[in-house]
Amino acid sequence: MSEFDLIRRHLTGVGTARDDVLVDVGDDCALLRVPAGRELAVGIDTLVAGVHFLPDCDPEALGWKALAVNLSDLAAVGAEPAWATLALTMPEPDEAWLAAFVRGFGALAAAEDVRLVGGDLTRGPLTVTVQAHGFVPADHVLRRAGARPGDLICVSGALGDAGLALRHLTQGEPLDEYLRGRLDRPSPRVALGEVLRGLATSAIDLSDGLISDLGHVLAASGCGARVELERLPLADQVAAAVAVDEDWSLPLASGDDYELCFTLPPAALGQLPVLAAAAGCPLTTIGEIVAGQGLRLVRADGSGWNATGGGYDHFVAS
Amino acid sequence: MSEFDLIRRHLTGVGTARDDVLVDVGDDCALLRVPAGRELAVGIDTLVAGVHFLPDCDPEALGWKALAVNLSDLAAVGAEPAWATLALTMPEPDEAWLAAFVRGFGALAAAEDVRLVGGDLTRGPLTVTVQAHGFVPADHVLRRAGARPGDLICVSGALGDAGLALRHLTQGEPLDEYLRGRLDRPSPRVALGEVLRGLATSAIDLSDGLISDLGHVLAASGCGARVELERLPLADQVAAAVAVDEDWSLPLASGDDYELCFTLPPAALGQLPVLAAAAGCPLTTIGEIVAGQGLRLVRADGSGWNATGGGYDHFVAS
């Protein structure tokens, strides 16, 4: 079966049919209509076998995740998802694998009203590139820049679940259903991104870990932050793992959380429960933005350390 | 140097600055504005080392070509290019290689007023995915479907140059400057696509060879075609190679031409010189659309054969 046949058979009609898609998979280009008064948000991400996922992973989960990762980027700017394109490189034209991959991709696409509008299949080492496209009302985009001293730092969901799941997998330990779901089928916080428009002073999605991603917000906003470790929202399993030797790397520096981290003016604190209800996920205040620079992680007793970049810089007793 | 540093250093400010880019490389998503009355055309294509290009190829040429391949898809639908995104997977973070790649990519981007608006760098087997975005006036897109019996079949430029160049390379023979340029730095026929809007009844770009690509037009349009071999526009080198043993595979079935193949109503024949002048490239009528199905290739003496798909089906003396 040729590339063209595989595309025709598996990549057409994926996701939700939409009026704003005039031409989709199968022509030289997709032809799309952006609604009046909306700006177009686009993000592109690649997942490489052996780097971002295990080569023998479940293709259905991979399909879901490849789209989820990109919808999470749209959520971070407050965009409403609309369309996705897929460039898939496979070692062999394995039709069963492709069908399972598209099943996972399509399930999330349908859940989020996204249409697959363009597809390219090539032969080579297993690599998945997805571009997601969404709409934001003009001048209502969420940015990394914009956090101000005094702002509250909030996160959605729980942190470190995917990191713990990956640790179990690499150690050959069994995964419970919760951790498996959090690793394989993250829920992009699309509804949250939309309700944060015009309210959050900054936002980012947590793909590389809190220290790294919050670090991007601080760098873009020109300020620092103080995060209280005991306030980090942790599932029981992660809390237990942290407790073993007080190693906070799971919630602070493991990737694949796909939660949003955002900042709110202090006056908006009272709205947090309303936002959480509208977004359909827990929201937790974990610290505040401060003047200066750097990220300080503190315990309840006031001790702590300064973090930089993707890991720990050095321990500073306070 | 981290992925973020490489992106910041090499992937920002690439191509032509544009007012319709509100946020580009560096945030979670790019934020873009589509002009009123325009539809958005998008195409995504992947080039894999060892499949689509030689792993040791000149990175500057690869950067040019990765964008050119995608702008050629925009040209095929008559779109005016605007933005591109790049997902680049590299075995090692080789900064000199990346700088050269971006130099080539950026040279074509600047020539076509395209801005690089999103970039992702990952580690893995060398793979380049580019998505190009352009604008088409509402309801003026060129499609594969639409060719009608009696329409003239035309192509731009010359056919088979890249195929001959690749043949020389794989046989270890030297390449002259013309063939090298045609293989490494194809000129997407953007201006031609724009002047064909509302005039051509169908269009496609020649990436897989005339038989395969014209075959897509015929399938989408529900008709057949008759192509006269002696009318195919050939550079001297290709004509000489064909003459050796009357092997027409170079102009008919080798890839990477990135010329446009389009159909015109017979009444438009007189406009061809004007279109060629406006597009800045030669245009040649090579045959006509016929009722029925299949592609028939004929010599001046009336003999010929039927072609299907990517290659020769069987020889039929007529």
Side-chain angles (χ1 to χ4, degrees), chain A residues 16 22 25 48 70 84 90 96 110 112 120 127 129 192 218 285:
Chain A
T16 303
L22 310 173
V25 176
V48 181
N70 281 274
M90 304 168 69
E112 297 288 355
D120 186 37
T127 311
T129 298
L192 175 59
L218 300 180
T285 304

Side-chain angles (χ1 to χ4, degrees), chain B residues 101-242:
Chain B
F101 178 92
V102 172
R103 209 157 46 236
F105 188 101
L108 180 57
E112 297 289 355
D113 288 334
V114 168
R115 183 68 159 189
L116 180 66
V117 297
D120 187 36
L121 292 181
T122 47
R123 190 180 288 219
L126 184 58
T127 311
V128 186
T129 298
V130 173
Q131 178 160 325
H133 310 68
F135 310 139
V136 197
D139 304 320
H140 275 69
V141 68
L142 299 172
R143 299 287 308 267
R144 294 179 179 183
R148 292 170 301 224
D151 282 354
L152 305 169
I153 303 169
C154 307
V155 294
S156 61
L159 305 183
D161 296 336
L164 181 58
L166 197 59
R167 184 186 289 179
H168 283 324
L169 277 184
T170 52
Q171 293 174 348
E173 292 164 16
L175 275 193
D176 68 30
E177 208 167 312
Y178 171 77
L179 289 181
R180 166 72 69 185
R182 291 283 289 166
L183 178 66
D184 281 355
R185 303 203 178 223
S187 298
R189 299 303 188 185
V190 169
L192 175 59
E194 294 181 41
V195 298
L196 291 178
R197 288 178 197 153
L199 191 62
T201 52
S202 74
I204 195 168
D205 75 313
L206 298 177
S207 52
D208 297 323
L210 183 69
I211 289 177
S212 172
D213 293 317
L214 179 55
H216 294 311
V217 168
L218 300 179
S221 301
C223 43
R226 171 189 162 92
V227 164
E228 299 175 43
L229 293 166
E230 272 81 1
R231 303 187 80 161
L232 295 177
L234 306 181
D236 292 344
Q237 299 97 314
V238 174
V242 168

Side-chain angles (χ1 to χ4, degrees), chain B:
Chain B
M1 187 168 286
S2 77
E3 177 205 344
F4 310 115
D5 294 328
L6 285 171
I7 288 177
R8 196 161 34 231
R9 182 175 294 188
H10 294 284
L11 300 187
T12 56
V14 177
T16 303
R18 298 177 58 100
D19 289 344
D20 50 21
V21 178
L22 311 173
V23 176
D24 63 4
V25 176
D27 222 293
D28 287 288
C29 289
L31 197 69
L32 308 164
R33 189 172 288 153
V34 175
R38 292 289 184 281
E39 287 158 1
L40 178 70
V42 303
I44 189 165
D45 264 306
T46 297
L47 302 179
V48 181
V51 178
H52 301 93
F53 61 90
L54 303 173
D56 62 350
C57 80
D58 171 20
E60 191 168 341
L62 181 63
W64 174 288
K65 190 161 182 173
L67 180 58
V69 165
N70 281 275
L71 296 187
S72 183
D73 281 327
L74 289 184
V77 301
E80 170 197 343
W83 316 306
T85 54
L86 166 67
L88 181 59
T89 303
M90 305 166 70
E92 299 293 329
D94 179 339
E95 200 176 350
W97 191 97
L98 179 61
F101 178 92
V102 172
R103 209 157 46 236
F105 188 101
L108 180 57
E112 297 289 355
D113 288 334
V114 168
R115 183 68 159 189
L116 180 66
V117 297
D120 187 36
L121 292 181
T122 47
R123 190 180 288 219
L126 184 58
T127 311
V128 186
T129 298
V130 173
Q131 178 160 325
H133 310 68
F135 310 139
V136 197
D139 304 320
H140 275 69
V141 68
L142 299 172
R143 299 287 308 267
R144 294 179 179 183
R148 292 170 301 224
D151 282 354
L152 305 169
I153 303 169
C154 307
V155 294
S156 61
L159 305 183
D161 296 336
L164 181 58
L166 197 59
R167 184 186 289 179
H168 283 324
L169 277 184
T170 52
Q171 293 174 348
E173 292 164 16
L175 275 193
D176 68 30
E177 208 167 312
Y178 171 77
L179 289 181
R180 166 72 69 185
R182 291 283 289 166
L183 178 66
D184 281 355
R185 303 203 178 223
S187 298
R189 299 303 188 185
V190 169
L192 175 59
E194 294 181 41
V195 298
L196 291 178
R197 288 178 197 153
L199 191 62
T201 52
S202 74
I204 195 168
D205 75 313
L206 298 177
S207 52
D208 297 323
L210 183 69
I211 289 177
S212 172
D213 293 317
L214 179 55
H216 294 311
V217 168
L218 300 179
S221 301
C223 43
R226 171 189 162 92
V227 164
E228 299 175 43
L229 293 166
E230 272 81 1
R231 303 187 80 161
L232 295 177
L234 306 181
D236 292 344
Q237 299 97 314
V238 174
V242 168
V244 170
D245 49 5
E246 219 217 1
D247 173 3
W248 289 88
S249 61
L250 279 180
L252 291 177
S254 62
D256 276 7
D257 281 329
Y258 302 110
E259 299 295 346
L260 293 192
C261 175
F262 56 97
T263 54
L264 287 179
L269 178 61
Q271 295 185 51
L272 216 52
V274 180
L275 293 173
C281 62
L283 300 178
T284 308
T285 304
I286 62 169
E288 67 174 332
I289 299 293
V290 299
Q293 58 183 23
L295 169 57
R296 182 152 184 83
L297 302 158
V298 295
R299 296 192 194 82
D301 65 7
S303 67
W305 66 94
N306 295 325
T308 58
Y312 304 122
D313 188 24
H314 52 266
F315 186 93
V316 182
S318 77

